[in-house]
Amino acid sequence: MFGIVVVIIGLIIGLFFLLKIEIRKYKDEKLLLSEEVVSIDVFNQLINRAIKRRKKKDDPFTLMLVDLDEFQEIVDTFNKEEETFIVSYISKHINSALPEESVIARGEKPDRFYLYIPASFDHSNIYNLAKSIKIEAEKKIQILDKVTIKKTVSMSIATYPLHGENLDLLYQSLEIALYMVKRSGGNDIKYYSEELSQTKESLDLFHELKNAKNNKEFIYYYQPIINLKDMNKVYGLEALLRWNHPKKGILAPSKFLHLAEQTGELDDIGNIAVEQALELLVDLSQQRLNDVVININVSPRQILNEMTFTIFQRLVEKYRQDASNIAIEIPDFTLYKNNQVFRRNLIKIKTLGFKLAIDISTTDYDVMDLVERFQIDMIKFNKDFFKLEQNYNFRKYLDMIIEFVKKKSLMLVAEGIEDQAMVEMLTLKGVDYGQGYHLTKPMNVVDTTQFLKARKELEK
């Protein structure tokens, strides 16, 4: 009797699992026949089940990744409602080009779509299908009855099981292929191949970069800003980003900053800069060395992020430091001067007490207007600025800026000082502060503190 009960229970359990499998199959089939855009979580579950069902078969399926080029321009130009409309419009056009039983998913970022192309599709035509999808995704969009926008997309393709036997490997193949497209300027399609993963060390960095923040591998070196008339006096420090790579050692930004844009880490790197500067100010204040200003380079994209103000505010409150000891330095400032979101967020950040600094690399006559509009505290001559020295208009412009700075009581700093002759030229012109390897090289936190201590002693 007991044996019969066990058998019955076994049959019930077996039927339960069979029913569960059939329900899953039914849901998958229903999903494959629908035209809705699914979430990335639902998409991942579908792909994982497809892989399990195919382990004993050799019928491939394909994944594609569609990435909207320069999506930040849409974010900067339109409000959230219009941005959502644009993304929805593009997704519908992508969907219209997909073969039967394909699935489209919205990525974790709004500018990405993942596509599942089933085994039933003729995979010899997969590249032609990708081109058709690209054409549909790039169709003109009309906004607000008058504005027409045209976008390009970058695409990558990976096939199971050739380019990965599990979902993680397939995604990795898509990311590598997409990275190669983006590095070449975007607006193209690339099929993953083994050669891509074996090409350059930057591909390894691309993946390692994603963990660098959690592992606290981003550090800052500090280059002093020196008073050119009295070399013992230090006005401040410029924070210069480095990646303390566990295998490759200290890496300069040129090795990885373009990758940080691809992985979306750029904003977090800017936040780390502010936090590390505040930590340094705490240490310096304890040693009575806190009469310095720390310049931090922050990307315009981070200023456009509505969360930046809140994050900066929390950091200032956390470390209880005077925000006026930090100058936010923004490259390519003039490109964003007419962007209302940029201006609004920058003014909000200014209310926290932060100073603002802008770089000049050419003769830009808008600088004086920018100083007034954005309450700029510091103007910096970029290291490339003095390459124009032989030009008469440059010399006139330089004299005009110096006179303007003196009148407004602003800080004027020359970067990239390489020799004593440049120091003498600058002091003769009336540029009071400078930085560069001729004066001091960038230093880690410990060496920076020792340097400031030594200069403090010389001032006595």
Side-chain angles (χ1 to χ4, degrees):
M1 185 71 180
F2 177 74
I4 294 171
V5 172
V6 170
V7 170
I8 291 171
I9 291 171
L11 286 170
I12 291 171
I13 292 171
L15 285 169
F16 171 76
F17 282 108
L18 282 172
L19 183 62
K20 197 173 180 182
I21 290 167
E22 288 303 315
I23 289 171
R24 277 184 178 175
K25 282 184 180 179
Y26 169 75
K27 285 183 176 179
D28 285 351
E29 286 170 5
K30 190 177 178 184
L31 192 61
L32 293 172
L33 293 172
S34 76
E35 293 186 354
E36 63 178 307
V37 179
V38 303
S39 71
I40 192 65
D41 290 336
V42 171
F43 187 79
N44 290 345
Q45 292 167 18
L46 173 72
I47 303 305
N48 280 324
R49 289 197 292 272
I51 290 171
K52 283 180 182 178
R53 288 198 293 270
R54 282 171 171 78
K55 277 195 173 175
K56 294 181 181 179
K57 299 179 182 180
D58 196 28
D59 48 344
F61 63 80
T62 294
L63 297 185
M64 294 183 186
L65 174 53
V66 182
D67 184 281
L68 309 185
D69 293 328
E70 298 178 351
F71 183 71
Q72 189 62 42
E73 288 185 5
I74 290 177
V75 174
D76 297 347
T77 307
F78 300 102
N79 62 36
K80 196 68 183 175
E81 185 180 341
E82 291 155 353
E83 177 191 325
T84 302
F85 171 78
I86 291 166
V87 172
S88 176
Y89 181 93
I90 292 171
S91 70
K92 285 178 183 176
H93 277 270
I94 291 173
N95 216 344
S96 70
L98 296 180
E100 289 183 359
E101 298 187 348
S102 298
V103 177
I104 177 172
R106 180 76 58 81
E108 292 177 352
K109 296 179 181 178
D111 56 344
R112 283 191 166 194
F113 298 95
Y114 290 89
L115 313 179
Y116 165 78
I117 312 300
S120 56
F121 181 76
D122 179 4
H123 281 257
S124 64
N125 288 322
I126 201 74
Y127 194 81
N128 288 331
L129 172 63
K131 288 197 286 188
S132 298
I133 292 168
K134 189 173 188 299
I135 289 168
E136 285 297 320
E138 294 176 342
K139 285 194 171 176
K140 291 180 181 178
I141 308 167
Q142 191 166 329
I143 300 289
L144 307 174
D145 297 327
K146 294 180 181 179
V147 181
T148 301
I149 63 171
K150 180 80 168 71
K151 299 301 296 177
T152 62
V153 301
S154 298
M155 293 181 63
S156 58
I157 309 170
T159 296
Y160 170 87
L162 182 63
H163 303 137
E165 295 184 350
N166 61 51
L167 186 58
D168 287 342
L169 289 174
L170 286 169
Y171 277 163
Q172 181 174 303
S173 297
L174 286 173
E175 289 287 353
I176 289 172
L178 185 70
Y179 165 69
M180 298 303 286
V181 175
K182 290 287 190 179
R183 197 180 70 166
S184 302
N187 191 22
D188 202 356
I189 304 167
K190 189 167 285 292
Y191 215 121
Y192 174 79
S193 66
E194 290 299 323
E195 289 76 18
L196 290 183
S197 62
Q198 296 167 3
T199 48
K200 302 199 176 182
E201 62 174 340
S202 59
L203 291 172
D204 293 329
L205 294 179
F206 179 82
H207 297 291
E208 293 164 349
L209 191 67
K210 294 184 178 182
N211 298 317
K213 179 189 68 175
N214 295 332
N215 296 338
K216 297 186 176 179
E217 294 169 9
F218 293 123
I219 60 172
Y220 282 82
Y221 275 41
Y222 297 90
Q223 186 172 46
I225 299 171
I226 305 291
N227 186 318
L228 298 179
K229 291 180 179 177
D230 183 350
M231 296 289 191
N232 293 328
K233 291 183 179 179
V234 179
Y235 166 77
L237 310 163
E238 180 173 1
L240 301 171
L241 176 66
R242 300 289 184 267
W243 180 4
N244 187 13
H245 194 280
K247 295 178 182 177
K248 301 178 187 295
I250 303 297
L251 299 180
S254 58
K255 294 283 186 181
F256 64 89
L257 212 55
H258 61 295
L259 297 175
E261 291 188 57
Q262 293 295 325
T263 58
E265 303 294 329
L266 209 55
D267 286 6
D268 287 334
I269 289 172
N271 296 334
I272 291 168
V274 173
E275 183 154 25
Q276 290 194 13
L278 288 165
E279 287 175 352
L280 177 57
L281 286 172
V282 171
D283 292 340
L284 293 177
S285 65
Q286 291 170 353
Q287 302 177 63
R288 298 185 178 180
L289 298 168
N290 59 327
D291 54 342
V292 293
V293 172
I294 301 178
N295 278 44
I296 294 167
N297 288 282
V298 174
S299 74
R301 178 174 171 174
Q302 186 174 358
I303 301 298
L304 288 164
N305 187 337
E306 298 285 356
M307 284 301 296
T308 297
F309 168 79
T310 304
I311 292 168
F312 283 9
Q313 185 178 40
R314 286 173 185 167
L315 288 173
V316 169
E317 290 170 355
K318 176 182 176 181
Y319 290 95
R320 298 181 181 179
Q321 290 297 302
D322 188 347
S324 66
N325 283 338
I326 294 179
I328 303 297
E329 194 172 321
I330 305 164
D332 300 324
F333 190 98
T334 55
L335 297 178
Y336 293 82
K337 63 188 178 185
N338 294 322
N339 185 296
Q340 293 302 314
V341 175
F342 179 84
R343 184 178 181 180
R344 182 180 70 244
N345 290 349
L346 201 58
I347 290 171
K348 283 171 65 180
I349 289 169
K350 179 78 174 175
T351 63
L352 295 174
F354 289 100
K355 287 183 167 65
L356 296 180
I358 58 173
D359 283 349
I360 301 177
S361 58
T362 185
T363 51
D364 184 355
Y365 289 89
D366 286 338
V367 166
M368 289 171 284
D369 176 54
L370 293 176
V371 167
E372 300 287 354
R373 285 167 60 193
F374 292 93
Q375 303 171 42
I376 303 298
D377 302 282
M378 179 188 294
I379 294 175
K380 296 188 77 178
F381 291 136
N382 186 283
K383 63 181 180 179
D384 296 325
F385 181 69
F386 291 96
K387 291 177 182 176
L388 306 169
E389 191 178 351
Q390 302 307 315
N391 185 294
Y392 171 75
N393 289 331
F394 164 81
R395 292 196 296 273
K396 247 181 113 176
Y397 176 78
L398 178 61
D399 291 338
M400 182 190 71
I401 289 295
I402 292 170
E403 183 182 345
F404 174 75
V405 165
K406 299 289 184 187
K407 183 180 176 182
K408 294 290 182 180
S409 301
L410 306 176
M411 284 293 301
L412 186 60
V413 179
E415 295 181 328
I417 296 178
E418 298 173 354
D419 51 42
Q420 188 58 29
M422 194 170 177
V423 173
E424 292 170 4
M425 182 273 289
L426 289 168
T427 51
L428 190 65
K429 285 283 189 182
V431 179
D432 295 332
Y433 297 91
Q435 65 184 95
Y437 272 76
H438 175 69
L439 303 173
T440 52
K441 65 179 183 179
M443 297 173 281
N444 61 32
V445 172
V446 174
D447 291 343
T448 298
T449 305
Q450 292 303 317
F451 175 86
L452 292 174
K453 278 183 180 177
R455 290 302 172 102
K456 197 79 171 178
E457 288 298 317
L458 290 171
E459 281 187 48
K460 291 179 180 179

